[in-house]
Amino acid sequence: MAQLLHDDDPDPAHRSPAGPFYVPVRPGPSGCAARLFRTPLGDRTAVGFTSAERLTATFGPGQAWIRLAEPALRALTAPLGITTVTVDPQFSAPAPAPVEPATPVPALRIV
């Protein structure tokens, strides 16, 4: 069997870093913390954008961010068990709206 070279391999073992990314952050007790998200299937993921404009288009102009290279973002999230980095997501669902508590319905009396 012929050994594949990296140029011929459709999924090379060593991918080149895509960073530095613009990473959304939130205030934390020790400064800022990277915001973490979930994929449509519910897996946790870190998110990085290739430009500040793309980040702003997704989260709005008030979203704080920092610059991190891909290896740094992966190293930051690996202890949390997060191995996925989503690059330039174009859609984010809004936060769920508060739900009014259900009003109890009186029990029906069957005659």
Side-chain angles (χ1 to χ4, degrees), residues 77-108:
T77 58
L80 302 172
I82 300 170
T83 58
T84 304
V85 174
T86 303
V87 179
D88 288 332
Q90 296 182 2
F91 174 75
S92 63
V99 177
E100 296 293 325
T103 305
V105 178
L108 295 177

Side-chain angles (χ1 to χ4, degrees), residues 36-38 42-46 73-85:
L36 302 175
F37 300 90
R38 293 203 179 264
D43 297 327
R44 294 173 72 195
T45 184
L73 182 56
R74 288 185 183 278
L76 183 70
T77 58
L80 302 172
I82 300 170
T83 58
T84 304
V85 174

Side-chain angles (χ1 to χ4, degrees), residues 25-78:
V25 295
R26 61 177 175 75
S30 300
C32 62
R35 288 185 60 190
L36 302 175
F37 300 90
R38 293 203 179 264
T39 66
L41 297 177
D43 297 327
R44 294 173 72 195
T45 184
V47 170
F49 290 86
T50 55
S51 72
E53 291 78 20
R54 289 180 184 223
L55 182 138
T56 301
T58 302
F59 293 113
Q63 177 60 57
W65 53 266
I66 59 170
R67 294 287 307 255
L68 282 178
E70 179 189 11
L73 182 56
R74 288 185 183 278
L76 183 70
T77 58

